[in-house]
Amino acid sequence: MAATTPPKVVFEHEGVFIHSSPNDSEDQDLISGFLRIVDKDGETLVEYKLLEDADPSNILCACKDSSSVVEWTQSSEDNPHRPVDHQLSYETEWDMINAVSFRRKIHAHGDGGSNHTNDRNKWAFSFNVCDLRSITVKCEGWSYITFRLKDGTVLPAIHFHQGGSTAFLDSLRKSVQINESPDDESVLIVSTYSKAFSQSFENLLDDANYGFVQKFKKDPYTTTLGGFSKVTNYLFDAFRAPELECHQRPAEEVADLLGELIPGLEINQQEEPGFEVITRLDLGPRPEVQRRGPVTVEEWAKYQDSEGRITNVPHLKDLILKGGLCHAVRREAWKFLLSYFPWNSTHEERKLLQKRKTDEYFRMKLQWKSVSEEQERRNSRLRDYRSLIEKDVNRTDRNNKFYEGLDNPGLILLHDILMTYCMYDFDLGYVQGMSDLLSPILFVMENEVDAFWCFVSFMDEMHENFEEQMQGMKTQLIQLSTLLRLLDLAFWNYLEAQDSGYLYFCFRWLLIRFKRELHFQDVLRLWEVMWTRLPCQNFHLLVCCAILDSEKQKIMDRKYGFNEILKHINELSMKLDIEEILSKSEAICMQIKNCKDLPHSVSEILGLNTVTEPSAALETSEYGILESPQTSPRSTHRQDHVVSNGHSHLKETTHNGCEVAFIS
């Protein structure tokens, strides 16, 4: 008989009560029960059950989906899970491992329904998180929560007499997007990832021979980035009316659809006051930009003093922007560009740094290398990471000589670095697509430790792209739409007329920085140019604009529709000229910078003249960009912007409160 996969309890809390009477009265009953969140057959359920329904003979440890590797490696065999909060120090941690989590048996009747005749059981309920519309949270000595479903059903309020409401909501946020209602701070609006969207976006990073990823919420980036044919079919159905209808869907319906596709992207159908209104701008002529040859070994050496410090860094970065690096220089130069080495460090300081980083790396590597098979059987998260990494490594750049063939040492290093990164960043772990970012770095470094720390720095910049809430991708799509609309309003309006104004066809470009669009050597050139942080902030968005600028005439002349645009963009892969793209991207930047009435939102996106009094520690390039080489990109302020989509406004306010709207 085939084994069935048991449900995984990701949260449970006892001491949760329902008051049988909504008003305080002496004769009202307190219905005692437990609340839990369960992963069952790929679905996430919220269940409230009475304590009488529990069967204590069934013990099921809660699935830990945060820092599970830490908990697992530091626990005993008999008690593999314990709360992270109980970890005190290396000396005392083994004294804290005796806690056991008891979990009750789930009813066999279905998703939490009860066949009991006892009237008290009418208070039990269960629902899929996809059916949840809102949560009302109030406090009257203790917190209590009321669930409202999408069909209008309001479930009985559940009272947390012994606390636990915050932990419940934090756990629920891992499955759904929860935002505070603008009208009532006690109401939380719930939105879920669209299952159809996630299924339709499977395999953009997969080759056709390697199956599908089955759980969107477990790995949203794999499932979000599916094959373009599937993307086409779903989005065409989502944003166009059915064939039998002769009219387009109303803006409100399109807004609802987009809200489900990318939760957290607020869509307002009405004009709002306080916008910076911008009409068509005359950007002036686009200047010609000449590229130069790559920085040679001799040129690189001229920028080092006798002790190895890099001098005149801004000018050196300008040279890299204009021509990149010759391959012989990359192994050393990338360590500076990726902030592994400080620009002002000496040879001796760098040797000490490498020694320290080597020790740190192998301590982390030992953590997963020393795990036994028996231990790994009790850590599903580590098993999932290992399985996904092994699958991805076996198909990453296999046509490159560095990774081709069986038992290639390059593949072993790729695997080991990614597994060690899971130890470095427990929260993120491994998400499909990260192997694409590591591969060129390892190819250049040819050293496991150096490649790891350079990859860590790159992931600091790219981290939000791979987080479950997709905040980095949402922000970049909004910013790209803002820039494209400024640069070519007619083309943007054409895309909008074809239901392509959301620019989802650029998703893969942004996610892994054009890794699948360019030849391998061209990826190296593009990345080292982008790592200079010149000629502006978010230069990769202008690279997108440059590619679209080269293709716009063909798209418009041939009257491409939604399907054809997606197909055309996908077929650009391996056909792009990197030098032409970089020249045009830099020219676009100069054109925008020369605009006297540049919208503030665009200046914010590109980081143009946003700081007027640089400190002595900052470096200023000829482009007016203030740079601090040692500042991690993850520490910078997030910028959110407003763009029009033709039907409504996509609104995410900036950190300084500035908003922008365009008038066609």
Side-chain angles (χ1 to χ4, degrees):
M1 187 173 78
T4 59
T5 302
K8 293 182 180 179
V9 179
V10 298
F11 173 87
E12 179 167 285
H13 186 69
E14 294 183 8
V16 182
F17 297 85
I18 290 179
H19 296 188
S20 62
S21 172
N23 301 317
D24 293 334
S25 59
E26 295 181 358
D27 59 346
Q28 79 166 341
D29 290 333
L30 293 182
I31 312 299
S32 177
F34 56 90
L35 182 71
R36 62 182 166 194
I37 302 173
V38 180
D39 278 348
K40 183 177 181 181
D41 298 329
E43 304 289 344
T44 302
L45 308 176
V46 174
E47 298 180 340
Y48 178 80
K49 295 182 181 297
L50 308 186
L51 287 179
E52 292 85 7
D53 296 338
D55 180 1
S57 65
N58 184 31
I59 300 176
L60 175 64
C61 283
C63 171
K64 301 290 185 182
D65 53 0
S66 176
S67 301
S68 60
V69 177
V70 172
E71 295 159 5
W72 166 67
T73 57
Q74 295 181 344
S75 300
S76 70
E77 293 184 4
D78 296 331
N79 302 295
H81 295 289
R82 60 187 177 87
V84 178
D85 294 340
H86 290 170
Q87 297 171 9
L88 299 178
S89 68
Y90 181 81
E91 290 78 17
T92 62
E93 63 189 10
W94 295 106
D95 297 329
M96 305 294 296
I97 63 174
N98 295 321
V100 176
S101 298
F102 290 88
R103 298 295 180 253
R104 276 73 181 177
K105 180 185 292 184
I106 292 182
H107 285 294
H109 312 314
D111 296 338
S114 175
N115 291 344
H116 296 292
T117 58
N118 191 324
D119 289 340
R120 290 171 58 86
N121 288 317
K122 70 181 181 180
W123 300 106
F125 60 79
S126 173
F127 59 84
N128 192 307
V129 294
C130 294
D131 298 325
L132 183 59
R133 179 180 295 278
S134 66
I135 304 170
T136 301
V137 183
K138 293 188 177 181
C139 183
E140 294 182 1
W142 58 79
S143 297
Y144 66 94
I145 289 177
T146 305
F147 299 106
R148 180 182 293 273
L149 305 184
K150 291 181 178 179
D151 63 4
T153 302
V154 179
L155 298 174
I158 52 175
H159 297 252
F160 292 81
H161 290 189
Q162 302 173 15
S165 61
T166 300
F168 167 73
L169 292 173
D170 288 344
S171 183
L172 189 62
R173 282 188 175 93
K174 297 170 183 176
S175 300
V176 294
Q177 179 78 17
I178 299 177
N179 297 301
E180 186 176 296
S181 170
D183 302 322
D184 186 348
E185 62 181 12
S186 68
V187 176
L188 303 175
I189 305 301
V190 179
S191 55
T192 58
Y193 297 104
S194 168
K195 184 176 180 181
F197 181 70
S198 64
Q199 291 175 343
S200 67
F201 270 122
E202 286 169 332
N203 265 358
L204 187 60
L205 294 175
D206 274 352
D207 299 323
N209 299 329
Y210 287 95
F212 295 112
V213 178
Q214 298 186 4
K215 292 186 178 179
F216 171 72
K217 63 186 170 86
K218 181 177 181 181
D219 187 357
Y221 301 93
T222 301
T223 51
T224 298
L225 300 182
F228 263 104
S229 61
K230 296 177 181 291
V231 174
T232 299
N233 293 337
Y234 177 73
L235 289 182
F236 187 80
D237 291 340
F239 290 106
R240 286 192 180 276
E243 294 181 1
L244 297 179
E245 299 179 12
C246 60
H247 61 278
Q248 288 190 336
R249 297 187 179 200
E252 294 81 1
E253 189 171 349
V254 175
D256 289 341
L257 284 168
L258 187 61
E260 291 183 7
L261 300 184
I262 303 186
L265 190 62
E266 182 184 351
I267 300 179
N268 303 308
Q269 280 74 42
Q270 303 295 327
E271 293 276 356
E272 295 190 10
F275 284 87
E276 175 191 2
V277 178
I278 302 169
T279 57
R280 289 176 183 266
L281 293 178
D282 182 8
L283 295 176
R286 184 172 297 171
E288 292 289 331
V289 172
Q290 298 297 323
R291 302 278 299 164
R292 71 182 298 276
V295 174
T296 64
V297 175
E298 292 76 17
E299 287 178 306
W300 177 262
K302 291 178 181 178
Y303 284 87
Q304 296 188 45
D305 65 16
S306 59
E307 293 184 328
R309 297 181 186 89
I310 306 299
T311 61
N312 200 356
V313 174
H315 188 262
L316 177 58
K317 286 186 175 182
D318 288 337
L319 295 181
I320 298 173
L321 166 68
K322 295 290 187 181
L325 298 160
C326 72
H327 193 71
V329 175
R330 282 181 173 136
R331 187 181 305 176
E332 182 177 3
W334 278 24
K335 297 171 188 175
F336 292 94
L337 291 171
L338 286 168
S339 301
Y340 176 33
F341 287 169
W343 292 94
N344 61 350
S345 61
T346 64
H347 289 305
E348 292 302 317
E349 289 170 340
R350 293 197 288 271
K351 287 181 181 178
L352 293 175
L353 175 65
Q354 282 184 300
K355 183 179 185 302
R356 186 171 70 252
K357 290 296 187 180
T358 298
D359 292 341
E360 186 176 352
Y361 173 78
F362 282 107
R363 281 197 300 270
M364 290 186 291
K365 183 174 182 179
L366 183 62
Q367 291 176 359
W368 65 267
K369 291 286 282 187
S370 60
V371 171
S372 68
E373 292 183 5
E374 184 177 357
Q375 287 176 306
E376 190 165 328
R377 282 199 298 270
R378 290 189 293 274
N379 193 310
S380 60
R381 197 178 190 200
L382 186 62
R383 289 198 310 272
D384 290 343
Y385 286 155
R386 187 190 297 273
S387 175
L388 189 56
I389 288 171
E390 289 174 352
K391 183 175 69 171
D392 284 0
V393 163
N394 285 329
R395 51 185 166 165
T396 298
D397 294 322
R398 297 306 301 275
N399 57 343
N400 186 306
K401 290 184 178 180
F402 191 79
Y403 298 109
E404 69 181 1
L406 299 175
D407 299 322
N408 187 301
L411 296 180
I412 297 173
L413 292 179
L414 200 65
H415 170 275
D416 287 1
I417 293 172
L418 292 171
M419 285 294 298
T420 305
Y421 187 81
C422 294
M423 302 292 102
Y424 174 83
D425 191 335
F426 291 111
D427 291 335
L428 182 63
Y430 179 78
V431 180
Q432 191 168 19
M434 288 166 56
S435 62
D436 278 289
L437 300 184
L438 172 60
S439 170
I441 295 175
L442 179 58
F443 172 82
V444 168
M445 294 297 151
E446 296 182 334
N447 177 280
E448 181 178 4
V449 175
D450 291 344
F452 173 81
W453 290 111
C454 288
F455 176 65
V456 164
S457 180
F458 194 19
M459 282 301 301
D460 284 345
E461 177 183 345
M462 303 293 290
H463 200 278
E464 284 192 342
N465 281 18
F466 295 93
E467 292 171 0
E468 186 173 4
Q469 300 303 322
M470 303 167 64
Q471 183 58 49
M473 298 306 300
K474 289 185 291 187
T475 299
Q476 289 175 89
L477 287 171
I478 291 172
Q479 292 174 335
L480 178 57
S481 183
T482 301
L483 293 173
L484 185 61
R485 189 172 170 83
L486 173 75
L487 291 168
D488 197 324
L489 185 59
F491 180 49
W492 193 94
N493 284 334
Y494 177 85
L495 293 176
E496 177 63 18
Q498 309 306 318
D499 296 323
S500 299
Y502 300 116
L503 306 180
Y504 284 126
F505 49 78
C506 298
F507 206 110
R508 184 173 68 182
W509 297 0
L510 299 172
L511 179 69
I512 51 175
R513 289 296 192 270
F514 307 94
K515 172 62 166 55
R516 296 291 180 94
E517 321 311 318
L518 301 169
H519 292 289
F520 194 85
Q521 290 297 324
D522 291 344
V523 172
L524 307 184
R525 176 59 41 80
L526 174 64
W527 285 8
E528 63 199 12
V529 167
M530 291 193 301
W531 291 335
T532 66
R533 308 291 186 264
L534 297 176
C536 63
Q537 180 178 285
N538 287 317
F539 184 56
H540 67 286
L541 298 179
L542 296 185
V543 173
C544 295
C545 292
I547 297 173
L548 294 175
D549 184 75
S550 298
E551 301 301 321
K552 67 180 181 181
Q553 208 60 47
K554 183 180 297 183
I555 291 173
M556 296 173 71
D557 289 348
R558 298 182 182 181
K559 296 181 172 57
Y560 282 165
F562 186 90
N563 291 285
E564 292 83 7
I565 292 172
L566 283 173
K567 182 174 183 293
H568 178 74
I569 295 299
N570 188 42
E571 291 175 348
L572 293 177
S573 179
M574 303 303 158
K575 299 177 182 177
L576 299 171
D577 185 330
I578 187 59
E579 293 299 324
E580 177 184 333
I581 291 171
L582 288 173
S583 295
K584 180 172 288 190
S585 303
E586 186 180 350
I588 290 173
C589 179
M590 296 172 65
Q591 182 185 26
I592 292 176
K593 188 177 179 238
N594 292 334
C595 178
K596 295 181 180 179
D597 300 318
L598 191 64
H600 181 73
S601 61
V602 175
S603 296
E604 286 286 316
I605 293 171
L606 300 181
L608 302 177
N609 302 321
T610 56
V611 180
T612 57
E613 297 181 1
S615 67
L618 296 176
E619 303 167 357
T620 306
S621 77
E622 67 178 67
Y623 292 92
I625 306 300
L626 297 172
E627 300 166 348
S628 178
Q630 306 310 318
T631 300
S632 169
R634 289 174 68 179
S635 66
T636 59
H637 293 291
R638 297 179 185 174
Q639 298 139 2
D640 303 321
H641 305 278
V642 178
V643 299
S644 167
N645 65 6
H647 300 300
S648 56
H649 285 92
L650 305 184
K651 176 193 172 188
E652 290 198 359
T653 58
T654 62
H655 69 273
N656 60 4
C658 179
E659 300 173 345
V660 61
F662 290 88
I663 296 180
S664 303

